[in-house]
Coordinates of all heavy atoms in Angstrom, one line a residue:
M1 N 18.4 88.3 34.6 CA 18.3 89.3 33.5 C 16.9 88.9 32.8 O 16.6 87.8 32.6 CB 19.4 89.0 32.5 CG 19.1 89.8 31.2 SD 20.4 89.5 29.9 CE 21.6 90.7 30.3
E2 N 16.2 89.9 32.5 CA 14.9 89.8 31.9 C 14.9 90.6 30.6 O 15.3 91.8 30.6 CB 13.8 90.2 32.7 CG 12.4 90.0 32.2 CD 11.3 90.4 33.2 OE1 11.4 90.1 34.4 OE2 10.4 91.1 32.7
I3 N 14.4 90.0 29.5 CA 14.3 90.7 28.2 C 12.8 90.7 27.8 O 12.2 89.7 27.7 CB 15.2 90.0 27.1 CG1 16.7 90.1 27.5 CG2 14.9 90.7 25.8 CD1 17.5 89.3 26.6
T4 N 12.3 91.9 27.5 CA 11.0 92.0 27.1 C 11.0 92.6 25.6 O 11.5 93.6 25.4 CB 10.2 93.0 28.0 OG1 10.3 92.4 29.3 CG2 8.8 93.0 27.6
V5 N 10.3 91.9 24.7 CA 10.1 92.4 23.3 C 8.7 93.0 23.2 O 7.7 92.3 23.5 CB 10.3 91.2 22.3 CG1 10.1 91.7 20.9 CG2 11.7 90.7 22.5
T6 N 8.7 94.3 22.9 CA 7.3 94.9 22.8 C 6.8 95.0 21.3 O 5.7 95.3 21.2 CB 7.4 96.3 23.4 OG1 8.4 97.1 22.7 CG2 7.8 96.3 24.9
S7 N 7.7 94.8 20.4 CA 7.2 94.9 19.0 C 8.2 94.1 18.1 O 9.4 94.0 18.5 CB 7.0 96.3 18.5 OG 8.2 96.9 18.4
T8 N 7.7 93.7 17.0 CA 8.6 93.1 16.0 C 8.4 93.6 14.6 O 7.4 94.3 14.4 CB 8.4 91.5 15.9 OG1 7.0 91.4 15.5 CG2 8.6 90.9 17.3
V9 N 9.4 93.4 13.8 CA 9.3 93.8 12.4 C 9.5 92.7 11.5 O 10.5 92.0 11.6 CB 10.3 95.0 12.1 CG1 10.2 95.3 10.6 CG2 10.1 96.2 12.9
G10 N 8.6 92.3 10.7 CA 8.7 91.2 9.8 C 9.5 91.5 8.5 O 9.7 92.7 8.2
N11 N 9.8 90.5 7.8 CA 10.5 90.7 6.5 C 9.4 91.3 5.5 O 8.3 90.8 5.5 CB 11.0 89.4 6.0 CG 12.2 88.9 6.7 OD1 12.9 89.7 7.4 ND2 12.4 87.6 6.7
T12 N 9.9 92.3 4.8 CA 9.0 92.9 3.8 C 9.7 92.9 2.4 O 10.8 93.2 2.3 CB 8.8 94.4 4.2 OG1 8.3 94.5 5.5 CG2 7.8 95.1 3.2
A13 N 8.9 92.4 1.5 CA 9.4 92.3 0.1 C 9.4 93.7 -0.5 O 8.5 94.5 -0.3 CB 8.5 91.4 -0.8
I14 N 10.6 94.1 -1.1 CA 10.6 95.4 -1.7 C 10.4 95.3 -3.2 O 11.1 94.5 -3.9 CB 12.1 96.0 -1.4 CG1 12.2 96.2 0.1 CG2 12.2 97.3 -2.1 CD1 13.7 96.6 0.5
A15 N 9.5 96.0 -3.7 CA 9.1 96.0 -5.1 C 10.2 96.7 -5.8 O 10.6 97.9 -5.5 CB 7.8 96.6 -5.4
A16 N 10.8 96.2 -6.9 CA 11.8 96.8 -7.7 C 11.7 96.4 -9.1 O 11.1 95.4 -9.4 CB 13.2 96.5 -7.2
S17 N 12.2 97.2 -10.0 CA 12.2 96.9 -11.4 C 13.0 95.7 -11.7 O 13.9 95.4 -10.9 CB 12.7 98.0 -12.3 OG 11.9 99.2 -12.2
K18 N 12.7 95.0 -12.8 CA 13.5 93.9 -13.2 C 14.1 94.3 -14.6 O 13.4 94.7 -15.4 CB 12.7 92.6 -13.4 CG 12.2 92.1 -12.0 CD 11.3 90.9 -12.2 CE 10.7 90.5 -10.9 NZ 9.7 89.5 -11.0
V19 N 15.4 94.1 -14.7 CA 16.1 94.6 -15.9 C 17.0 93.4 -16.3 O 17.8 92.9 -15.5 CB 16.9 95.9 -15.7 CG1 17.7 96.2 -16.9 CG2 16.0 96.9 -15.2
W20 N 16.9 93.0 -17.6 CA 17.8 91.9 -18.1 C 17.9 92.0 -19.6 O 17.2 92.8 -20.3 CB 17.2 90.5 -17.7 CG 16.0 90.1 -18.5 CD1 15.9 89.3 -19.6 CD2 14.6 90.5 -18.2 NE1 14.5 89.2 -20.0 CE2 13.8 90.0 -19.2 CE3 14.0 91.4 -17.2 CZ2 12.4 90.2 -19.2 CZ3 12.6 91.6 -17.3 CH2 11.9 91.0 -18.2
A21 N 18.9 91.3 -20.1 CA 19.2 91.3 -21.6 C 19.0 89.9 -22.1 O 19.4 88.9 -21.5 CB 20.6 91.8 -21.9
S22 N 18.3 89.8 -23.3 CA 18.2 88.6 -24.0 C 17.8 88.9 -25.4 O 17.0 89.9 -25.7 CB 17.2 87.6 -23.3 OG 15.9 88.0 -23.5
G23 N 18.2 88.1 -26.4 CA 17.8 88.2 -27.7 C 18.2 89.6 -28.4 O 17.4 90.0 -29.2
G24 N 19.2 90.2 -27.9 CA 19.6 91.4 -28.6 C 18.8 92.6 -28.0 O 18.9 93.7 -28.7
K25 N 18.2 92.4 -26.9 CA 17.3 93.4 -26.4 C 17.5 93.6 -24.9 O 17.8 92.6 -24.2 CB 15.8 93.2 -26.6 CG 15.4 93.1 -28.1 CD 14.0 92.7 -28.2 CE 13.7 92.5 -29.7 NZ 12.3 92.0 -29.8
I26 N 17.3 94.8 -24.4 CA 17.2 95.0 -22.9 C 15.7 95.0 -22.6 O 14.9 95.7 -23.2 CB 17.9 96.3 -22.5 CG1 19.4 96.2 -22.8 CG2 17.5 96.7 -21.1 CD1 20.1 97.5 -22.4
H27 N 15.4 94.2 -21.6 CA 13.9 94.1 -21.2 C 13.9 94.8 -19.8 O 14.7 94.6 -18.9 CB 13.5 92.7 -21.0 CG 13.7 91.9 -22.4 ND1 12.7 91.9 -23.3 CD2 14.7 91.2 -22.9 CE1 13.1 91.2 -24.3 NE2 14.4 90.8 -24.1
I28 N 12.8 95.5 -19.6 CA 12.6 96.2 -18.3 C 11.1 96.0 -17.9 O 10.2 96.3 -18.7 CB 12.9 97.8 -18.4 CG1 14.3 98.0 -18.9 CG2 12.5 98.5 -17.1 CD1 14.5 99.4 -19.3
T29 N 10.9 95.4 -16.7 CA 9.6 95.3 -16.1 C 9.6 96.2 -14.9 O 10.4 96.0 -14.0 CB 9.2 93.9 -15.8 OG1 9.3 93.1 -16.9 CG2 7.9 93.8 -15.1
A30 N 8.7 97.2 -14.9 CA 8.7 98.2 -13.8 C 7.5 98.0 -12.9 O 6.5 97.5 -13.3 CB 8.7 99.6 -14.4
T31 N 7.7 98.4 -11.6 CA 6.7 98.3 -10.6 C 5.8 99.6 -10.6 O 4.7 99.5 -10.0 CB 7.3 98.1 -9.2 OG1 8.2 99.2 -8.9 CG2 8.0 96.8 -9.1
S32 N 6.2 100.7 -11.2 CA 5.4 101.9 -11.2 C 5.7 102.6 -12.6 O 6.7 102.3 -13.2 CB 5.7 102.8 -10.0 OG 7.1 103.2 -10.1
A33 N 4.8 103.5 -13.0 CA 5.0 104.2 -14.2 C 6.2 105.0 -14.1 O 6.6 105.6 -13.1 CB 3.7 105.0 -14.5
G34 N 6.9 105.3 -15.2 CA 8.0 106.1 -15.3 C 8.7 106.1 -16.6 O 8.1 105.8 -17.6
V35 N 10.0 106.4 -16.6 CA 10.8 106.5 -17.8 C 12.2 105.7 -17.6 O 12.7 105.9 -16.5 CB 11.1 107.9 -18.3 CG1 12.0 107.9 -19.5 CG2 9.8 108.7 -18.5
A36 N 12.6 104.9 -18.5 CA 13.9 104.2 -18.4 C 14.8 105.0 -19.3 O 14.5 105.3 -20.5 CB 13.7 102.8 -18.9
Y37 N 16.0 105.3 -18.8 CA 17.0 106.0 -19.6 C 18.2 105.0 -19.7 O 18.7 104.4 -18.7 CB 17.5 107.2 -18.8 CG 16.4 108.2 -18.5 CD1 15.7 108.2 -17.3 CD2 16.1 109.2 -19.5 CE1 14.7 109.1 -17.1 CE2 15.1 110.1 -19.2 CZ 14.4 110.1 -18.0 OH 13.4 110.9 -17.8
V38 N 18.6 104.8 -21.0 CA 19.6 103.8 -21.3 C 20.9 104.6 -21.8 O 20.8 105.4 -22.7 CB 19.2 102.8 -22.3 CG1 20.3 101.8 -22.6 CG2 17.9 102.1 -21.9
Y39 N 22.1 104.2 -21.2 CA 23.3 104.9 -21.6 C 24.3 103.8 -22.0 O 24.3 102.7 -21.4 CB 23.9 105.7 -20.4 CG 23.0 106.7 -19.9 CD1 22.0 106.5 -18.9 CD2 23.1 108.0 -20.4 CE1 21.2 107.5 -18.5 CE2 22.3 109.0 -20.0 CZ 21.3 108.8 -19.0 OH 20.5 109.8 -18.6
N40 N 25.2 104.1 -22.9 CA 26.2 103.1 -23.3 C 27.4 103.2 -22.4 O 27.4 104.0 -21.4 CB 26.6 103.3 -24.8 CG 27.3 104.6 -25.0 OD1 27.8 105.4 -24.2 ND2 27.4 105.0 -26.3
A41 N 28.4 102.4 -22.6 CA 29.5 102.3 -21.7 C 30.3 103.6 -21.5 O 31.0 103.8 -20.5 CB 30.5 101.2 -22.1
T42 N 30.3 104.5 -22.5 CA 30.9 105.7 -22.4 C 30.1 106.9 -21.8 O 30.5 108.0 -21.7 CB 31.4 106.2 -23.9 OG1 30.3 106.4 -24.7 CG2 32.4 105.2 -24.4
G43 N 28.9 106.5 -21.4 CA 28.0 107.5 -20.8 C 27.1 108.2 -21.7 O 26.4 109.1 -21.2
H44 N 27.1 107.9 -22.9 CA 26.2 108.7 -23.9 C 24.8 108.0 -23.9 O 24.7 106.8 -23.8 CB 26.8 108.6 -25.3 CG 28.0 109.4 -25.5 ND1 29.3 108.9 -25.3 CD2 28.2 110.7 -25.8 CE1 30.1 109.8 -25.5 NE2 29.5 110.9 -25.7
P45 N 23.7 108.9 -23.9 CA 22.4 108.3 -23.9 C 22.1 107.7 -25.2 O 22.4 108.2 -26.3 CB 21.5 109.6 -23.7 CG 22.3 110.7 -24.0 CD 23.8 110.3 -23.8
V46 N 21.5 106.4 -25.2 CA 21.2 105.7 -26.4 C 19.7 105.4 -26.6 O 19.2 105.2 -27.7 CB 22.0 104.4 -26.6 CG1 23.5 104.7 -26.7 CG2 21.7 103.5 -25.4
A47 N 18.9 105.5 -25.6 CA 17.5 105.3 -25.6 C 16.8 105.8 -24.4 O 17.4 105.9 -23.3 CB 17.2 103.7 -25.7
T48 N 15.6 106.2 -24.6 CA 14.6 106.6 -23.5 C 13.3 106.0 -23.8 O 12.8 106.1 -24.9 CB 14.5 108.1 -23.4 OG1 15.8 108.8 -23.3 CG2 13.7 108.6 -22.3
R49 N 12.8 105.3 -22.8 CA 11.5 104.6 -23.0 C 10.5 104.9 -21.8 O 10.8 104.5 -20.7 CB 11.6 103.1 -23.1 CG 12.3 102.6 -24.4 CD 11.4 102.8 -25.6 NE 11.9 102.2 -26.8 CZ 12.9 102.7 -27.5 NH1 13.5 103.8 -27.2 NH2 13.3 102.0 -28.6
P50 N 9.4 105.5 -22.1 CA 8.4 105.6 -21.0 C 7.7 104.2 -20.8 O 7.7 103.4 -21.7 CB 7.3 106.6 -21.5 CG 7.5 106.5 -23.0 CD 8.9 106.1 -23.3
Y51 N 7.1 103.9 -19.6 CA 6.5 102.7 -19.4 C 5.4 102.9 -18.4 O 5.4 103.9 -17.6 CB 7.4 101.6 -18.9 CG 8.3 102.0 -17.8 CD1 7.9 102.1 -16.5 CD2 9.7 102.4 -18.0 CE1 8.7 102.5 -15.4 CE2 10.4 102.9 -17.0 CZ 10.0 102.8 -15.7 OH 10.8 103.3 -14.7
T52 N 4.5 102.0 -18.2 CA 3.4 102.0 -17.2 C 3.8 100.9 -16.2 O 4.5 100.0 -16.4 CB 2.0 101.7 -17.9 OG1 2.0 100.5 -18.5 CG2 1.6 102.8 -18.9
A53 N 3.1 101.0 -15.0 CA 3.3 100.0 -14.0 C 3.0 98.6 -14.5 O 1.9 98.3 -15.1 CB 2.5 100.3 -12.8
G54 N 3.9 97.7 -14.2 CA 3.7 96.2 -14.6 C 4.0 95.9 -16.1 O 4.1 94.8 -16.4
E55 N 4.2 97.0 -16.9 CA 4.5 96.8 -18.3 C 6.0 96.3 -18.5 O 6.9 96.7 -17.7 CB 4.3 98.1 -19.0 CG 4.7 98.0 -20.5 CD 4.6 99.4 -21.2 OE1 4.5 100.4 -20.5 OE2 4.6 99.3 -22.5
T56 N 6.2 95.4 -19.5 CA 7.6 95.1 -19.8 C 7.9 95.7 -21.2 O 7.2 95.5 -22.2 CB 7.7 93.6 -19.9 OG1 7.5 93.0 -18.6 CG2 9.2 93.1 -20.4
V57 N 8.9 96.5 -21.2 CA 9.4 97.1 -22.5 C 10.6 96.4 -23.0 O 11.5 96.0 -22.1 CB 9.6 98.6 -22.3 CG1 8.3 99.3 -22.1 CG2 10.6 98.9 -21.3
A58 N 10.8 96.3 -24.2 CA 12.0 95.7 -24.8 C 12.7 96.7 -25.7 O 12.0 97.3 -26.6 CB 11.6 94.5 -25.7
I59 N 13.9 97.0 -25.5 CA 14.7 97.9 -26.3 C 15.8 97.2 -27.1 O 16.7 96.7 -26.5 CB 15.3 99.0 -25.4 CG1 14.2 99.6 -24.5 CG2 16.0 100.0 -26.1 CD1 14.8 100.4 -23.3
P60 N 15.7 97.1 -28.4 CA 16.7 96.5 -29.2 C 18.0 97.3 -29.3 O 17.9 98.5 -29.5 CB 16.1 96.3 -30.6 CG 15.0 97.3 -30.6 CD 14.5 97.6 -29.2
L61 N 19.1 96.7 -29.0 CA 20.4 97.4 -29.0 C 21.5 96.5 -29.5 O 21.5 95.3 -29.3 CB 20.8 97.9 -27.6 CG 19.8 99.0 -26.9 CD1 20.1 99.1 -25.5 CD2 20.2 100.3 -27.7
P62 N 22.6 97.1 -30.0 CA 23.7 96.2 -30.5 C 24.5 95.7 -29.2 O 24.3 96.1 -28.1 CB 24.6 97.2 -31.2 CG 24.1 98.6 -30.9 CD 22.7 98.5 -30.4
K63 N 25.3 94.7 -29.5 CA 26.2 94.2 -28.4 C 26.9 95.3 -27.7 O 27.3 96.3 -28.3 CB 27.2 93.2 -29.0 CG 26.7 92.0 -29.5 CD 27.9 91.1 -30.1 CE 27.4 89.9 -30.8 NZ 28.5 89.1 -31.3
G64 N 27.0 95.1 -26.3 CA 27.7 96.1 -25.6 C 27.2 96.1 -24.1 O 26.3 95.4 -23.7
L65 N 27.9 97.0 -23.4 CA 27.6 97.3 -22.0 C 26.7 98.5 -21.9 O 27.0 99.5 -22.5 CB 28.9 97.4 -21.2 CG 28.7 97.9 -19.7 CD1 28.1 96.8 -18.9 CD2 30.1 98.3 -19.1
Y66 N 25.6 98.4 -21.1 CA 24.7 99.5 -21.0 C 24.3 99.8 -19.5 O 24.3 98.8 -18.7 CB 23.4 99.2 -21.7 CG 23.6 99.1 -23.2 CD1 23.9 97.9 -23.8 CD2 23.7 100.2 -24.0 CE1 24.1 97.8 -25.1 CE2 23.9 100.2 -25.4 CZ 24.1 98.9 -25.9 OH 24.4 98.8 -27.3
F67 N 24.0 101.0 -19.2 CA 23.6 101.4 -17.8 C 22.2 101.9 -18.0 O 21.8 102.7 -18.8 CB 24.5 102.4 -17.2 CG 25.9 102.0 -17.1 CD1 26.8 102.2 -18.0 CD2 26.2 101.3 -15.9 CE1 28.1 101.7 -17.9 CE2 27.5 100.8 -15.7 CZ 28.5 101.0 -16.8
I68 N 21.2 101.4 -17.1 CA 19.8 101.8 -17.1 C 19.5 102.5 -15.9 O 19.8 102.0 -14.8 CB 18.9 100.6 -17.4 CG1 19.2 99.8 -18.8 CG2 17.5 101.0 -17.4 CD1 20.2 98.9 -18.7
L69 N 18.8 103.7 -16.0 CA 18.3 104.4 -14.8 C 16.7 104.2 -14.9 O 16.2 104.6 -15.9 CB 18.7 105.8 -14.9 CG 20.2 106.1 -14.8 CD1 20.5 107.6 -14.8 CD2 20.8 105.5 -13.5
S70 N 16.2 103.7 -13.9 CA 14.8 103.4 -13.8 C 14.3 103.5 -12.4 O 14.9 102.8 -11.5 CB 14.4 102.1 -14.5 OG 13.1 101.7 -14.3
E71 N 13.2 104.2 -12.1 CA 12.6 104.2 -10.8 C 13.7 104.6 -9.7 O 13.6 104.1 -8.6 CB 12.0 102.9 -10.4 CG 10.8 102.6 -11.3 CD 10.0 101.4 -10.8 OE1 10.4 100.2 -11.2 OE2 9.1 101.5 -10.1
G72 N 14.6 105.5 -10.0 CA 15.6 106.0 -9.1 C 16.7 105.0 -8.8 O 17.5 105.2 -7.8
R73 N 16.7 103.9 -9.6 CA 17.8 102.9 -9.4 C 18.6 102.8 -10.7 O 18.1 103.1 -11.7 CB 17.2 101.6 -9.0 CG 16.4 101.6 -7.7 CD 15.9 100.3 -7.4 NE 16.7 99.8 -6.3 CZ 16.6 98.6 -5.7 NH1 15.7 97.8 -6.1 NH2 17.4 98.3 -4.7
S74 N 19.8 102.3 -10.5 CA 20.7 102.0 -11.7 C 20.9 100.5 -11.9 O 21.0 99.8 -10.9 CB 21.9 102.9 -11.7 OG 22.7 102.4 -10.5
Y75 N 21.1 100.1 -13.1 CA 21.3 98.8 -13.5 C 22.4 98.7 -14.5 O 22.5 99.6 -15.4 CB 20.0 98.0 -14.0 CG 18.8 98.1 -13.1 CD1 18.0 99.3 -13.1 CD2 18.6 97.1 -12.2 CE1 16.9 99.3 -12.2 CE2 17.5 97.2 -11.3 CZ 16.7 98.3 -11.4 OH 15.6 98.3 -10.5
K76 N 23.2 97.6 -14.5 CA 24.2 97.4 -15.5 C 23.8 96.1 -16.3 O 23.6 95.1 -15.6 CB 25.6 97.3 -14.8 CG 26.7 97.0 -15.8 CD 28.1 97.1 -15.1 CE 28.1 96.1 -13.9 NZ 29.5 96.1 -13.3
V77 N 23.8 96.2 -17.6 CA 23.4 95.1 -18.4 C 24.3 94.9 -19.6 O 24.8 95.9 -20.2 CB 21.9 95.3 -18.9 CG1 21.5 94.1 -19.8 CG2 21.0 95.4 -17.8
I78 N 24.6 93.6 -19.9 CA 25.5 93.4 -21.1 C 24.6 92.7 -22.1 O 23.9 91.6 -21.9 CB 26.7 92.4 -20.7 CG1 27.6 93.2 -19.7 CG2 27.4 92.0 -22.0 CD1 28.7 92.3 -19.2
V79 N 24.5 93.3 -23.3 CA 23.8 92.7 -24.5 C 24.9 91.9 -25.2 O 25.9 92.4 -25.7 CB 23.2 93.7 -25.4 CG1 22.5 93.1 -26.6 CG2 22.1 94.5 -24.6
R80 N 24.6 90.6 -25.3 CA 25.7 89.7 -25.9 C 25.3 89.2 -27.3 O 26.1 88.7 -28.1 CB 25.9 88.4 -25.1 CG 26.4 88.8 -23.7 CD 26.7 87.6 -22.9 NE 27.0 87.9 -21.5 CZ 28.2 88.1 -21.1 NH1 29.3 88.0 -21.8 NH2 28.4 88.4 -19.8
E81 N 24.0 89.4 -27.8 CA 23.6 88.9 -29.0 C 23.3 89.9 -30.0 O 22.9 91.0 -29.7 CB 22.3 88.1 -28.9 CG 22.5 86.9 -27.9 CD 21.1 86.2 -27.6 OE1 20.2 86.4 -28.4 OE2 21.1 85.4 -26.8

């Protein structure tokens, strides 16, 4: 048996937004310009923030569970403070 490899594909890092909560705020660092949409646990919109590539935005919010839509992805974050 003979196996011939004619090409390979290396690991590629996928750029994605970073979303986290601290200090009573949701923080979003995006890889490209866009808009972050924030919804509460019942699905009601609570904030909308435009951002530029590489910028970190901080959105102050009360304690609770939030869903963030940014760059075509969704994130779930809990604000505890």
Side-chain angles (χ1 to χ4, degrees):
M1 173 186 270
E2 183 177 319
I3 298 174
T4 304
V5 178
T6 57
S7 67
T8 62
V9 177
N11 291 336
T12 303
I14 298 173
S17 295
K18 294 178 185 167
V19 179
W20 71 98
S22 71
K25 299 177 185 174
I26 292 176
H27 302 271
I28 303 166
T29 300
T31 57
S32 62
V35 178
Y37 301 93
V38 182
Y39 300 87
N40 64 16
T42 61
H44 291 92
V46 295
T48 302
R49 290 290 190 282
Y51 51 77
T52 59
E55 176 184 17
T56 298
V57 295
I59 305 167
L61 291 167
K63 291 180 185 180
L65 172 67
Y66 297 94
F67 298 93
I68 296 91
L69 299 178
S70 173
E71 296 186 273
R73 301 183 102 180
S74 61
Y75 303 87
K76 181 172 54 175
V77 177
I78 297 174
V79 175
R80 298 180 189 270
E81 299 174 15

